[in-house]
Amino acid sequence: MAGKRYLMAPGPTPVPPEVLAAGAQPVLHHRGPDFRAVMLRTLGRLQEVCRTENDVLLFTASGSAAFESAVVNLMSPGERVLAVMAGEFGERWAALARAYGADVHELRYAWGETPRADDVRARLEETGAKVAFVVHSETSTGVVSDVQALAQAAREAGALVVVDAVSSLGAVRLETDAWGLDVVVAGSQKALMTPPGLSVVTVSDSAWGRSQSAALPRFYFDWDRMRASLETGSTPFTPAVTIVAALDVALGLLLEEGLDAAFARHAALGRACREGAKAMGLGLFSPDEERSAIVTAILTPEGIDAREVVLALRDRFGITVAGGHGELGPKLFRIGHIGYYDVFDITTVLAAVEVLLVEGGADIERGVAIARALEAYHETARV
Ligand SMILES: *Cc1c(COP(=O)(O)O)cnc(C)c1O
């Protein structure tokens, strides 16, 4: 059927109608009092969602740019940094820092592995790096790391920790202050249920301290300039005002649901997706664990190219899922379930996958994935 579309990728994600409507209101002037109120409320809500009293900065740019802002505000040329890498995004941050002339040391895992705190501590001690990059939810593999433990190890080794929480913020627990996360980076288009275009950075006192002596050049992404302006509800440059208005409403919805309830919902969505896939006899690439609540990476059976599945889902059923990065392309596809999703989104995509596999000759009892997914959704969390 042409027309009906289902966005089941880990970003951008579906946007609730109220949020779309907020973004469709007339454009406010970014230096006027109406917009100032929206901006200040949005920043306050972001602090709540990030569980922090640190400054929250909002840039008109995608998540990668917010990460770039961390690099240029924290680093000097030739300075050492430890990049923890277990997938596409870990690799991106290493490449980004290298592009700015940082001396990047790697803690590299095979894609799909979960980084370990002891390794972070050991590598920091070995290299003497004073900044560590970690990824909370590695969207390319489905792994959600124990960022609390990783950050603690970094702190004990005397390093600041910069956390990529682009796909995790709002979906799984992240405690900026309680876990001592110096810099947290997020984007509007993932679990925050807002169109792409805005990114978020939280900055701790230690990170501010370090930024004062960081010597890399910066202008648009200069934290000081942004903070000074945001304190008055303004921005140094014209922000994406309609997306800020949308984000404000989306954050309101998330806080109304309650962060704990949202985390429980995401855990249940992840469980439903994994159990449904397994019920069809499919293997998982992402970990089969409660924390893996962002994206489920599913292996296709021998002889079925996952890229074909991704294309068929899109062309025949209007369902967009994500493929695997690089070498994983032929092997797996990824179903995103962050933000504006409920269990019937999961059963929709599983039903479509079942149709394709059965057509391809797989021996699957019809309906088994849906039945199992619905059942798993309501099971209480395994400990
Ligand atoms: C989506 C994503 C990003 C940011 O990507 P942009 O396209 O720059 O917004 C960064 N890290 C992770 C883990 C992501 O999922």
mmCIF file of all heavy atoms in Angstrom, residues 10 62-65 89 92-93 135 137-139 164 166-167 189-190, ligand 1:
data_model
loop_
_atom_site.group_PDB
_atom_site.id
_atom_site.type_symbol
_atom_site.label_atom_id
_atom_site.label_comp_id
_atom_site.label_asym_id
_atom_site.label_seq_id
_atom_site.Cartn_x
_atom_site.Cartn_y
_atom_site.Cartn_z
ATOM 1 N N PRO A 10 16.124 3.918 14.654
ATOM 2 C CA PRO A 10 16.549 4.579 15.903
ATOM 3 C C PRO A 10 16.947 6.030 15.663
ATOM 4 O O PRO A 10 17.992 6.470 16.113
ATOM 5 C CB PRO A 10 17.731 3.719 16.355
ATOM 6 C CG PRO A 10 18.296 3.156 15.101
ATOM 7 C CD PRO A 10 17.154 2.976 14.155
ATOM 8 N N SER A 62 22.910 19.041 14.569
ATOM 9 C CA SER A 62 22.623 17.654 14.940
ATOM 10 C C SER A 62 23.512 17.223 16.106
ATOM 11 O O SER A 62 24.412 17.946 16.534
ATOM 12 C CB SER A 62 22.804 16.734 13.738
ATOM 13 O OG SER A 62 24.148 16.323 13.628
ATOM 14 N N GLY A 63 23.256 16.026 16.603
ATOM 15 C CA GLY A 63 23.977 15.524 17.769
ATOM 16 C C GLY A 63 25.492 15.523 17.607
ATOM 17 O O GLY A 63 26.224 15.817 18.554
ATOM 18 N N SER A 64 25.953 15.229 16.417
ATOM 19 C CA SER A 64 27.403 15.193 16.202
ATOM 20 C C SER A 64 28.038 16.549 16.458
ATOM 21 O O SER A 64 29.170 16.646 16.950
ATOM 22 C CB SER A 64 27.714 14.745 14.767
ATOM 23 O OG SER A 64 27.188 13.457 14.553
ATOM 24 N N ALA A 65 27.318 17.604 16.117
ATOM 25 C CA ALA A 65 27.856 18.946 16.332
ATOM 26 C C ALA A 65 27.978 19.245 17.822
ATOM 27 O O ALA A 65 28.927 19.898 18.265
ATOM 28 C CB ALA A 65 26.964 19.980 15.652
ATOM 29 N N PHE A 89 29.561 4.937 16.516
ATOM 30 C CA PHE A 89 29.638 6.262 17.139
ATOM 31 C C PHE A 89 30.921 6.449 17.939
ATOM 32 O O PHE A 89 31.525 7.526 17.893
ATOM 33 C CB PHE A 89 28.364 6.555 17.934
ATOM 34 C CG PHE A 89 27.196 6.718 17.004
ATOM 35 C CD1 PHE A 89 26.296 5.679 16.794
ATOM 36 C CD2 PHE A 89 27.049 7.871 16.258
ATOM 37 C CE1 PHE A 89 25.258 5.805 15.883
ATOM 38 C CE2 PHE A 89 26.022 8.004 15.335
ATOM 39 C CZ PHE A 89 25.111 6.971 15.150
ATOM 40 N N ARG A 92 33.309 7.418 15.454
ATOM 41 C CA ARG A 92 33.109 8.788 14.964
ATOM 42 C C ARG A 92 33.780 9.805 15.893
ATOM 43 O O ARG A 92 34.415 10.745 15.441
ATOM 44 C CB ARG A 92 31.618 9.092 14.834
ATOM 45 C CG ARG A 92 31.362 10.489 14.278
ATOM 46 C CD ARG A 92 29.878 10.813 14.178
ATOM 47 N NE ARG A 92 29.183 9.922 13.258
ATOM 48 C CZ ARG A 92 27.874 9.997 12.989
ATOM 49 N NH1 ARG A 92 27.126 10.937 13.570
ATOM 50 N NH2 ARG A 92 27.304 9.180 12.145
ATOM 51 N N TRP A 93 33.641 9.593 17.197
ATOM 52 C CA TRP A 93 34.204 10.603 18.124
ATOM 53 C C TRP A 93 35.726 10.581 18.107
ATOM 54 O O TRP A 93 36.372 11.625 18.249
ATOM 55 C CB TRP A 93 33.653 10.417 19.539
ATOM 56 C CG TRP A 93 32.149 10.325 19.561
ATOM 57 C CD1 TRP A 93 31.397 9.472 20.331
ATOM 58 C CD2 TRP A 93 31.201 11.094 18.781
ATOM 59 N NE1 TRP A 93 30.061 9.656 20.058
ATOM 60 C CE2 TRP A 93 29.914 10.626 19.114
ATOM 61 C CE3 TRP A 93 31.314 12.101 17.829
ATOM 62 C CZ2 TRP A 93 28.748 11.147 18.538
ATOM 63 C CZ3 TRP A 93 30.160 12.614 17.237
ATOM 64 C CH2 TRP A 93 28.907 12.143 17.595
ATOM 65 N N VAL A 135 30.296 6.142 24.989
ATOM 66 C CA VAL A 135 28.982 6.133 24.346
ATOM 67 C C VAL A 135 28.032 5.382 25.276
ATOM 68 O O VAL A 135 28.331 4.264 25.689
ATOM 69 C CB VAL A 135 29.051 5.436 22.971
ATOM 70 C CG1 VAL A 135 27.669 5.374 22.344
ATOM 71 C CG2 VAL A 135 30.038 6.164 22.059
ATOM 72 N N SER A 137 24.545 4.676 24.679
ATOM 73 C CA SER A 137 23.839 3.706 23.851
ATOM 74 C C SER A 137 24.494 3.718 22.481
ATOM 75 O O SER A 137 24.402 4.696 21.752
ATOM 76 C CB SER A 137 22.369 4.107 23.746
ATOM 77 O OG SER A 137 21.810 3.593 22.563
ATOM 78 N N GLU A 138 25.189 2.626 22.155
ATOM 79 C CA GLU A 138 25.864 2.517 20.850
ATOM 80 C C GLU A 138 24.812 2.033 19.846
ATOM 81 O O GLU A 138 24.553 0.825 19.714
ATOM 82 C CB GLU A 138 27.069 1.580 20.971
ATOM 83 C CG GLU A 138 27.871 1.351 19.713
ATOM 84 C CD GLU A 138 28.263 2.612 18.941
ATOM 85 O OE1 GLU A 138 29.253 3.293 19.268
ATOM 86 O OE2 GLU A 138 27.548 2.892 17.956
ATOM 87 N N THR A 139 24.187 2.993 19.179
ATOM 88 C CA THR A 139 23.026 2.711 18.338
ATOM 89 C C THR A 139 23.340 1.741 17.193
ATOM 90 O O THR A 139 22.451 1.060 16.697
ATOM 91 C CB THR A 139 22.484 4.041 17.773
ATOM 92 O OG1 THR A 139 22.543 5.016 18.819
ATOM 93 C CG2 THR A 139 21.062 3.912 17.296
ATOM 94 N N ASP A 164 28.207 10.332 25.121
ATOM 95 C CA ASP A 164 27.265 10.393 24.005
ATOM 96 C C ASP A 164 25.982 9.704 24.461
ATOM 97 O O ASP A 164 25.936 8.477 24.569
ATOM 98 C CB ASP A 164 27.869 9.678 22.787
ATOM 99 C CG ASP A 164 26.853 9.467 21.668
ATOM 100 O OD1 ASP A 164 25.668 9.840 21.837
ATOM 101 O OD2 ASP A 164 27.241 8.905 20.629
ATOM 102 N N VAL A 166 23.063 10.423 22.865
ATOM 103 C CA VAL A 166 22.147 10.908 21.828
ATOM 104 C C VAL A 166 20.932 10.005 21.704
ATOM 105 O O VAL A 166 19.801 10.483 21.632
ATOM 106 C CB VAL A 166 22.857 11.078 20.466
ATOM 107 C CG1 VAL A 166 21.872 11.578 19.415
ATOM 108 C CG2 VAL A 166 24.026 12.053 20.573
ATOM 109 N N SER A 167 21.150 8.696 21.710
ATOM 110 C CA SER A 167 19.981 7.824 21.535
ATOM 111 C C SER A 167 19.410 7.323 22.861
ATOM 112 O O SER A 167 18.367 6.685 22.878
ATOM 113 C CB SER A 167 20.318 6.644 20.621
ATOM 114 O OG SER A 167 21.324 5.833 21.182
ATOM 115 N N GLN A 189 16.184 14.351 17.936
ATOM 116 C CA GLN A 189 15.436 13.452 17.034
ATOM 117 C C GLN A 189 15.397 11.992 17.442
ATOM 118 O O GLN A 189 15.034 11.138 16.644
ATOM 119 C CB GLN A 189 16.030 13.565 15.621
ATOM 120 C CG GLN A 189 17.296 12.771 15.349
ATOM 121 C CD GLN A 189 18.573 13.466 15.777
ATOM 122 O OE1 GLN A 189 18.560 14.329 16.637
ATOM 123 N NE2 GLN A 189 19.684 13.080 15.180
ATOM 124 N N LYS A 190 15.769 11.693 18.686
ATOM 125 C CA LYS A 190 15.749 10.285 19.090
ATOM 126 C C LYS A 190 14.641 10.099 20.131
ATOM 127 O O LYS A 190 13.488 10.295 19.811
ATOM 128 C CB LYS A 190 17.129 9.875 19.584
ATOM 129 C CG LYS A 190 18.242 10.184 18.566
ATOM 130 C CD LYS A 190 18.582 9.016 17.680
ATOM 131 C CE LYS A 190 19.456 9.367 16.508
ATOM 132 N NZ LYS A 190 20.872 9.076 16.712
HETATM 133 C C1 LIG B 1 22.024 9.508 16.243
HETATM 134 C C2 LIG B 1 23.260 9.394 17.059
HETATM 135 C C3 LIG B 1 24.235 10.415 17.071
HETATM 136 C C4 LIG B 1 24.125 11.728 16.376
HETATM 137 O O1 LIG B 1 23.939 11.741 15.085
HETATM 138 P P1 LIG B 1 23.506 13.075 14.316
HETATM 139 O O2 LIG B 1 23.110 12.504 13.014
HETATM 140 O O3 LIG B 1 24.685 13.951 14.263
HETATM 141 O O4 LIG B 1 22.377 13.700 15.096
HETATM 142 C C5 LIG B 1 25.309 10.261 17.901
HETATM 143 N N1 LIG B 1 25.458 9.192 18.674
HETATM 144 C C6 LIG B 1 24.562 8.207 18.713
HETATM 145 C C7 LIG B 1 24.781 7.068 19.640
HETATM 146 C C8 LIG B 1 23.433 8.280 17.913
HETATM 147 O O5 LIG B 1 22.522 7.302 17.957
#
